[in-house]
Amino acid sequence: MAAHIRRRLRKGATTTAVAAAAVAALAASQAPAAPLTEGSTGGDQQAAGGESGGPEDDAATGNSPYYTDLPPLVTPDRPGSSSNLPAATGSAEAGIPASVLAAYKQAERTVAGTDPACRLPWQLLAAIGKVESGQARGGKVDANGTTPSPILGPALNGQGFALIKDTDGGAYDGDAVHDRAVGPMQFIPSTWATWGQDANGDGRKDPNNIYDAALAAGRYLCAGGRDLAVAADLDRAVLSYNQSTEYLRTVRSWFAYYQRGTHEVPDGSGVLPTSPSTPTPSTTPGGTTSPTPSPSPSKPGGTKPSPGPSKPGGGTSPTPKPTPTPTPPPKPTPPPADTLGSLENAGTGPLTATAGGTFDERVSVRARNALGAPMAQLPVTFTVTGSTGTLFEGGRKTVTVLSKADGTATAPALKAGEKSGDFTVTATAGTTRPRTLTYAASVTARQADAIVRTDSKALVAAPGEKFADAVTLKATYKGAAAAGVAVTATLVADADKPAENDKGPHFKDADGKPLRTLALTTDAEGLLRLPDLFADENPGTYQLVLTTEGGATVVIELTVEAAEETAPPEA
């Protein structure tokens, strides 16, 4: 579901003044010269952010939609300095509260793992957080990163702001009539319902938590396949958060400033902005309302002078030309909700099973549309590739599954083949721009942890004769019959020196030639029946060593001796 558009009407002479100040700040800080997209349409999404709360502990009154303070006209530290400076280094304005800074960097790492093509910089989140809420009101958060009281924007009641009727029953913003922007990153409730994240692992998606809010903002900015290392994509992303070129310039200024260097300060000690924008509703012909721009700032040293008296004999002072009202940018056009944006792992664990067994884990993916929201009813095709003989239930190498309402698609269980080794499972979705995920998997050989003879008869043969008694053994694994387990049988002279013997008892091959090593396999009941054993002409005591896949071993003694002669009866 597309996010609600949160319009912020920014009109009047302040646009030009702030734009000029922003350009001056960028030039003075020697910031990267990434271009601003003048008149940009705001990207391919609806607005996510809302008006920022002021520095008070209670809800803002509606006169502080977002902070318009620009960064200092000096760099935080010398050019080329690190953006990970130690505490108490650099200017006060460059300090970011510890928990807030950690949340931005964690969001950057998380998004890099799921959407590396976006190239989200944490400094962009810091710039938006500065403009929206003054870095959570100077870092006033608890140990979990949650603000002690909600940061709320004004009611979006159409009086100078967008008209957005309540969508959450007041659950997030405490207003059951109209929506308000909520939290350090100022999401409106309807947008949070789509983009909310649980980044701190507490089981809740809380817009008042800086970790949750920062990750949600990061995913929102990256939606639609944006690459934020591209200036035009970055501009579109920021404009999708707030459709105002003044807002874009202010965020861009802080972004460039933070790129030059920042440092960590204790939570609660961050510098609060002092110049919030203050559009006041005014009635226009026809009864509609629009914000009245605040006056241009006075020059240093005093107030702006009034026009002087008319010259003697002259007429009145010339009437100043009216300042043209800037045309607001057009609404952004969101991408279609049925456009596949990404395919990500939905929590699939290690894929390992014993030959012939069933894998405990099932391959699962989550599809998101171009807006980053879960995508349902999307065909996802899973394919097994490899020579282990592993197949999906039903004996298929390829299956197609439709994603559920939460965007997840889970393949049927995998049945391991009889050959050990590695293989892969590939998930593919989409047609115009297919997305693919590949999972590594492996099949291990069947194993036994014990092998014993089924009887205890002594094995004795005369030189050149066959051992009369057959040898039968049983292999088990964790107490159960171990079927299909590989067993190696070797005839040796001394089990402590298990080298194949060159004389003594032996098996025979198809041509009747002696064999003293055999590769065997247990049957369906874990039983192993050895071929006939023969003695040569060398009497003595020998040993048969049997070792299973899995390391179980048994040693059987073989004796070759001449039969006792029987004395003839007396006459």
Side-chain angles (χ1 to χ4, degrees):
M1 179 177 65
H4 280 286
I5 297 178
R6 190 163 49 132
R7 303 176 182 85
R8 293 184 184 163
L9 304 179
R10 303 277 187 260
K11 296 181 179 180
T14 52
T15 302
T16 303
V18 174
V23 173
L26 287 170
S29 63
Q30 302 179 36
L36 296 178
T37 305
E38 295 290 351
S40 175
T41 61
D44 54 0
Q45 300 191 95
Q46 295 172 321
E51 285 71 28
S52 171
E56 303 83 18
D57 289 333
D58 54 1
T61 62
N63 62 350
S64 300
Y66 62 82
Y67 292 109
T68 59
D69 279 15
L70 291 171
L73 299 180
V74 294
T75 57
D77 200 74
R78 62 185 181 279
S81 64
S82 170
S83 61
N84 295 289
L85 299 174
T89 300
S91 70
E93 284 287 358
I96 299 178
S99 294
V100 178
L101 181 60
Y104 296 149
K105 292 184 176 181
Q106 176 178 295
E108 179 191 66
R109 292 191 300 269
T110 301
V111 172
T114 58
D115 189 6
C118 174
R119 295 193 281 183
L120 170 72
W122 67 260
Q123 292 91 341
L124 179 59
L125 296 175
I128 291 174
K130 178 72 171 180
V131 172
E132 290 291 351
S133 68
Q135 309 298 18
R137 292 176 177 164
K140 290 183 179 179
V141 296
D142 62 19
N144 294 319
T146 304
T147 59
S149 59
I151 300 175
L152 299 175
L156 300 176
N157 56 11
Q159 302 299 308
F161 311 106
L163 173 60
I164 302 179
K165 295 184 179 180
D166 176 66
T167 60
D168 67 331
Y172 289 118
D173 56 12
D175 190 332
V177 179
H178 297 98
D179 271 350
R180 295 170 180 261
V182 182
M185 303 304 281
Q186 290 287 276
F187 280 95
I188 55 175
S190 55
T191 307
W192 185 258
T194 299
W195 294 91
Q197 303 287 319
D198 176 19
N200 64 348
D202 64 356
R204 299 179 60 227
K205 297 177 180 179
D206 185 358
N208 298 298
N209 181 274
I210 185 60
Y211 291 95
D212 294 357
L215 181 56
R219 292 202 187 285
Y220 185 92
L221 293 166
C222 286
R226 295 192 186 103
D227 180 355
L228 299 184
V230 176
D233 275 7
L234 188 145
D235 288 351
R236 281 191 287 269
V238 175
L239 284 169
S240 77
Y241 212 92
N242 185 310
Q243 299 170 59
S244 162
T245 52
E246 174 189 331
Y247 179 86
L248 171 61
R249 292 185 181 100
T250 307
V251 169
R252 272 286 204 170
S253 297
W254 282 107
F255 176 48
Y257 183 72
Y258 287 140
Q259 284 184 313
R260 297 298 298 165
T262 63
H263 61 274
E264 178 185 300
V265 298
D267 288 346
S269 65
V271 175
L272 286 172
T274 58
S275 299
S277 63
T278 55
T280 302
S282 63
T283 303
T284 59
T288 59
T289 60
S290 62
T292 299
S294 55
S296 299
S298 301
K299 294 181 179 180
T303 59
K304 192 173 183 179
S306 302
S310 302
K311 295 181 180 179
T316 60
S317 309
T319 302
K321 294 181 180 180
T323 302
T325 301
T327 302
K331 297 179 183 178
T333 302
D338 60 354
T339 300
L340 178 61
S342 64
L343 197 65
E344 54 193 52
N345 187 357
T348 306
L351 295 169
T352 304
T354 302
T358 300
F359 284 74
D360 293 331
E361 286 284 329
R362 294 169 64 182
V363 179
S364 183
V365 300
R366 176 175 284 103
R368 295 186 183 275
N369 64 19
L371 297 174
M375 193 169 181
Q377 296 300 302
L378 177 73
V380 180
T381 300
F382 299 91
T383 303
V384 175
T385 303
S387 58
T388 64
T390 300
L391 300 170
F392 292 111
E393 282 182 341
R396 295 169 293 172
K397 294 190 72 171
T398 299
V399 295
T400 299
V401 179
L402 293 178
S403 60
K404 297 187 295 186
D406 64 354
T408 59
T410 302
L414 286 163
K415 179 75 173 180
E418 291 299 331
K419 184 178 179 182
S420 62
D422 298 329
F423 68 98
T424 60
V425 179
T426 302
T428 304
T431 53
T432 305
R433 294 180 61 193
R435 299 291 193 273
T436 299
L437 280 180
T438 299
Y439 298 80
S442 62
V443 176
T444 58
R446 296 172 184 260
Q447 297 183 358
D449 55 17
I451 184 169
V452 296
R453 282 188 66 189
T454 57
D455 63 58
S456 57
K457 291 182 179 179
L459 298 173
V460 180
E465 300 294 328
K466 181 177 77 171
F467 286 83
D469 296 307
V471 180
T472 302
L473 305 101
K474 183 168 186 176
T476 57
Y477 182 70
K478 295 183 178 179
V485 176
V487 180
T488 301
T490 306
L491 289 155
V492 299
D494 185 350
D496 293 332
K497 300 177 182 179
E500 179 183 301
N501 199 13
D502 59 357
K503 61 181 181 179
H506 55 271
F507 303 107
K508 289 184 178 180
D509 65 12
D511 297 327
K513 295 180 179 179
L515 288 176
R516 290 187 170 84
T517 298
L518 282 181
L520 306 166
T521 304
T522 60
D523 65 13
E525 297 177 349
L527 295 175
L528 181 66
R529 296 176 177 84
L530 296 184
D532 290 339
L533 276 165
F534 299 89
D536 64 8
E537 300 300 328
N538 297 287
T541 299
Y542 301 90
Q543 293 177 324
L544 170 63
V545 179
L546 296 108
T547 303
T548 71
E549 184 73 41
T553 301
V554 64
V555 179
I556 300 173
E557 188 172 279
L558 304 173
T559 302
V560 178
E561 61 182 11
E564 293 183 3
E565 294 185 2
T566 303
E570 293 181 358

